[in-house]
Amino acid sequence: MPVSQNQDDGEKESEFDWLQLHNEIHTTTDETTQEKFLRKVKENPFVPIGCLATFGALSYGLWSFRQGKRQMSQYMMRLRIGAQGFTVVALIVGIGLSAARVRE
Protein backbone atom coordinates (compact mmCIF):
# COMPACT_ATOMS: atom_id res chain seq x y z
CA MET A 1 0.00 0.00 0.00
CA PRO A 2 2.72 2.57 0.78
CA VAL A 3 4.28 2.08 -2.67
CA SER A 4 1.04 2.88 -4.44
CA GLN A 5 0.48 5.93 -2.23
CA ASN A 6 3.99 7.18 -3.11
CA GLN A 7 3.19 6.73 -6.79
CA ASP A 8 -0.07 8.66 -6.36
CA ASP A 9 1.79 11.48 -4.59
CA GLY A 10 4.38 11.54 -7.39
CA GLU A 11 1.67 11.68 -10.02
CA LYS A 12 -0.08 14.51 -8.19
CA GLU A 13 3.16 16.47 -7.94
CA SER A 14 3.88 15.83 -11.62
CA GLU A 15 0.38 16.98 -12.55
CA PHE A 16 0.78 20.08 -10.41
CA ASP A 17 4.08 20.88 -12.16
CA TRP A 18 2.37 20.64 -15.54
CA LEU A 19 -0.47 22.88 -14.41
CA GLN A 20 1.97 25.44 -13.04
CA LEU A 21 3.99 25.34 -16.27
CA HIS A 22 0.81 25.72 -18.32
CA ASN A 23 -0.24 28.75 -16.29
CA GLU A 24 3.19 30.36 -16.64
CA ILE A 25 3.19 29.88 -20.41
CA HIS A 26 -0.36 31.05 -20.97
CA THR A 27 -0.29 34.16 -18.86
CA THR A 28 -2.52 36.79 -20.36
CA THR A 29 -1.01 40.09 -21.31
CA ASP A 30 -2.78 43.25 -22.31
CA GLU A 31 -0.46 43.72 -25.29
CA THR A 32 -2.00 44.23 -28.71
CA THR A 33 -0.46 42.84 -31.87
CA GLN A 34 0.82 46.27 -32.86
CA GLU A 35 2.40 46.83 -29.44
CA LYS A 36 4.08 43.42 -29.60
CA PHE A 37 5.39 44.16 -33.11
CA LEU A 38 6.82 47.50 -32.01
CA ARG A 39 8.41 45.90 -28.93
CA LYS A 40 10.04 43.21 -31.07
CA VAL A 41 11.34 45.83 -33.55
CA LYS A 42 12.84 47.83 -30.68
CA GLU A 43 14.48 44.70 -29.24
CA ASN A 44 16.09 43.71 -32.55
CA PRO A 45 15.77 46.43 -35.23
CA PHE A 46 18.13 44.77 -37.71
CA VAL A 47 15.74 41.92 -38.58
CA PRO A 48 13.04 44.18 -40.10
CA ILE A 49 15.75 46.21 -41.84
CA GLY A 50 17.12 43.00 -43.38
CA CYS A 51 13.63 41.89 -44.39
CA LEU A 52 12.96 45.22 -46.10
CA ALA A 53 16.35 45.10 -47.86
CA THR A 54 15.61 41.57 -49.06
CA PHE A 55 12.17 42.58 -50.31
CA GLY A 56 13.56 45.67 -52.04
CA ALA A 57 16.36 43.77 -53.78
CA LEU A 58 13.98 41.02 -54.87
CA SER A 59 11.38 43.46 -56.15
CA TYR A 60 13.84 45.60 -58.07
CA GLY A 61 15.60 42.50 -59.39
CA LEU A 62 12.36 41.06 -60.73
CA TRP A 63 11.41 44.41 -62.25
CA SER A 64 14.84 44.65 -63.90
CA PHE A 65 14.46 41.13 -65.26
CA ARG A 66 11.07 42.00 -66.72
CA GLN A 67 12.54 45.14 -68.32
CA GLY A 68 15.30 43.08 -69.92
CA LYS A 69 18.14 44.54 -67.81
CA ARG A 70 19.88 41.23 -67.18
CA GLN A 71 23.04 42.64 -65.62
CA MET A 72 21.10 44.72 -63.06
CA SER A 73 18.78 41.78 -62.38
CA GLN A 74 21.76 39.51 -61.62
CA TYR A 75 23.28 42.16 -59.36
CA MET A 76 20.02 42.57 -57.43
CA MET A 77 19.63 38.81 -56.98
CA ARG A 78 23.14 38.69 -55.51
CA LEU A 79 22.27 41.62 -53.27
CA ARG A 80 19.14 39.75 -52.20
CA ILE A 81 21.26 36.79 -51.08
CA GLY A 82 23.45 39.15 -49.07
CA ALA A 83 20.41 40.78 -47.48
CA GLN A 84 18.98 37.38 -46.57
CA GLY A 85 22.29 36.43 -44.96
CA PHE A 86 22.28 39.70 -43.02
CA THR A 87 18.75 38.98 -41.82
CA VAL A 88 19.63 35.47 -40.63
CA VAL A 89 22.73 36.73 -38.80
CA ALA A 90 20.70 39.55 -37.21
CA LEU A 91 18.11 37.03 -36.08
CA ILE A 92 20.72 34.73 -34.52
CA VAL A 93 22.51 37.62 -32.80
CA GLY A 94 19.18 38.93 -31.48
CA ILE A 95 18.28 35.53 -30.05
CA GLY A 96 21.72 35.29 -28.44
CA LEU A 97 21.42 38.73 -26.88
CA SER A 98 17.94 37.95 -25.58
CA ALA A 99 19.19 34.73 -24.02
CA ALA A 100 22.09 36.62 -22.40
CA ARG A 101 19.65 39.18 -20.94
CA VAL A 102 17.50 36.44 -19.46
CA ARG A 103 20.50 34.86 -17.72
CA GLU A 104 21.44 38.15 -16.06
Side-chain angles (χ1 to χ4, degrees):
M1 193 83 135
V3 172
S4 111
Q5 188 171 0
N6 287 340
Q7 288 176 346
D8 288 342
D9 290 342
E11 289 176 9
K12 287 180 183 177
E13 287 178 23
S14 177
E15 184 177 330
F16 179 71
D17 290 342
W18 279 106
L19 290 173
Q20 184 179 5
L21 179 63
H22 180 269
N23 290 338
E24 288 175 4
I25 291 173
H26 292 93
T27 57
T28 58
T29 59
D30 295 331
E31 186 176 43
T32 65
T33 305
Q34 183 179 10
E35 291 170 343
K36 183 176 181 179
F37 176 75
L38 292 174
R39 179 176 54 84
K40 293 288 187 179
V41 168
K42 287 178 185 177
E43 287 175 4
N44 193 358
F46 293 112
V47 172
I49 291 170
C51 290
L52 289 173
T54 302
F55 177 75
L58 177 64
S59 298
Y60 190 67
L62 290 173
W63 183 77
S64 296
F65 180 75
R66 186 176 172 122
Q67 297 296 317
K69 301 175 184 177
R70 292 193 307 169
Q71 190 173 17
M72 179 56 80
S73 176
Q74 284 292 317
Y75 176 74
M76 294 311 293
M77 290 301 116
R78 291 182 187 129
L79 184 64
R80 175 187 60 88
I81 297 297
Q84 283 178 320
F86 173 80
T87 305
V88 170
V89 169
L91 186 64
I92 292 170
V93 168
I95 291 170
L97 290 174
S98 294
R101 285 185 205 139
V102 169
R103 288 185 185 169
E104 294 175 356

